[in-house]
Structures are given as structure tokens and as C-alpha cells.
Amino acid sequence: MKWPLSLKIGAGTLSTILVAAAAAWGWSQWRKARLAATHAVVLYDTTSLRSGDLLFRNGLGNESLLVTTTSNGNYSHVGIACATPQGWHVVHAVPSEAPVGEPDLLKSEPIAVFYDPGRAMAGGTARVRCSDSIAMAATLAALDKVAQRVAFDDDYDTGDTTRLYCTELVQLAYMRQGIDLAQGKYFHATGFSTSGHIVFPEHLWQSSHLESKRELPVKIETN
């Protein structure tokens, strides 16, 4: 029997979707098993950090896997380094890390927490090509959003700065200093993002405004 063209296309499309879904499920199960057997320790060094440096990480969850796969990048999250009297902190916006019953708010937390093995399996650092004063101004702009108790932007709406997601916070902090880190790059996300597009960490990592980019070494330990 000769299948009608429309049915052949439909069957082929369905087959492709099923194969892709099976491959994704298999990969996620393998990744889950590997992470259960081992954990990665990101080896960071704060001696050369400057407030305003960008700190990248790749998380352990399927959401992180989705981000890196979709963006074809190495990192799923980014924050801004900040020197405090208590040591180095990272200012960032992240979902699903707030205590039960509390909202996901922007936060400044110790770099050791940011790169904790339970949250990070890879990391990277980069410096924005600008003066120390501009980098500090960007850091203070990000900290101001923390002080305002700004919530994480679950809608990923870049047109609304009353809530922010990770790259949106970093982009906004430096845009206020006249530096466009994303340089117009974004991923079309109609149906997922209210604004129809998302800026991924990879878009910032590839910015021509960055220098001294460095992938952090990782030590794999057996659980």
C-alpha cells in the first residue's frame, strides 16, 4: 500500500518525536545515575576576583540540562561576584531554592553555596571589559534589586523588570552602566516566555564585552 504524502509526513514526524523523546529520557536517566554515583567539586579561586565579575555554573537538574542543550552552551546559570565583609558572595536570581512556602527572591549568597556540589557540576568566570568603578556600579545595581526583594521572573519576560531571571539581572545591571552584554542575542521562545525570547547564559558568555574568560577545574569524587 502506498501511504498518502500527508500520512507519511505525519508518521515520520511522530517517529522523530518518539525517538528524540526516548533519547532524551535515556540521557536524563544516565545522567541521574552518574550524578548519584559521583559528584563534581568546582574548584574556584577568589584571589583574582573583582566585584562585578560574572560567575557561571551548570546545575544538576533537568532544567539545567534543557538550558545547556537548547543554547548549545556549557552553563545554565550566571550571577555577579561581590566582595563583602563576610567574604565573596554571588548576586543572582534562581528558582526553586527558597525554603518551602517562601517566594523565590533575588539573593546574595556565599560563593561556596553558589558552587556547592549539590548545585553545580561545572563553573566559569569572566570579567566585563570596563573600569573597576563601572563594575562596582553594576554590582551595586544588582544588590539594589536584592534589597528591593525582587522576585524571580517565572514568565521570563524581558520587557518587565519588576521580576528578573538570572541573565536578565546581569544584563540589566550592566545595561544601566551603558554596557549591553547580550548584544541583541537571544533565543526565540514563543509559548514559553511572555516576551517571546530568552537571553541564555551562553549569550553572555559569548559577549565581546567579556575578557579573561576561564572554565573552572572540576574534581570528580565518588559518593
Side-chain angles (χ1 to χ4, degrees), residues 13-158:
T13 301
L14 177 59
S15 176
T16 300
I17 292 173
L18 290 175
V19 170
W25 183 85
W27 166 249
S28 67
Q29 291 300 107
W30 175 87
R31 186 170 184 263
K32 183 178 180 180
R34 181 177 182 275
L35 292 175
T38 64
H39 68 267
V41 179
V42 178
L43 304 177
Y44 58 86
D45 178 9
T46 62
T47 57
S48 60
L49 280 181
R50 175 181 78 171
S51 288
D53 283 354
L54 305 192
L55 301 181
F56 295 80
R57 81 179 183 200
N58 186 17
L60 282 65
N62 286 333
E63 294 87 353
S64 298
L65 177 61
L66 176 63
V67 170
T68 54
T69 301
T70 304
S71 64
N72 194 29
N74 294 322
Y75 306 113
S76 59
H77 188 55
V78 62
I80 296 178
C82 175
T84 77
Q86 294 74 39
W88 283 96
H89 277 214
V90 185
V91 186
H92 63 130
V94 64
S96 306
E97 289 188 0
V100 176
E102 296 185 16
D104 288 316
L105 302 176
L106 273 60
K107 57 186 177 179
S108 173
E109 63 183 1
I111 190 172
V113 176
F114 185 80
Y115 283 127
D116 184 272
R119 295 181 177 180
M121 60 188 299
T125 65
R127 176 157 297 175
V128 179
R129 190 177 292 105
C130 65
S131 65
D132 291 351
S133 60
I134 289 178
M136 178 56 73
T139 305
L140 294 176
L143 284 170
D144 185 55
K145 293 298 182 182
V146 175
Q148 293 175 29
R149 293 179 58 81
V150 171
F152 182 84
D153 185 4
D154 294 300
D155 294 324
Y156 296 89
D157 184 0
T158 53

Side-chain angles (χ1 to χ4, degrees), residues 201-215:
E202 182 66 14
H203 294 129
L204 301 191
W205 181 256
Q206 296 300 333
S207 175
S208 64
H209 290 294
L210 298 189
E211 60 185 6
S212 304
K213 294 195 297 185
R214 186 166 73 96
E215 294 183 3

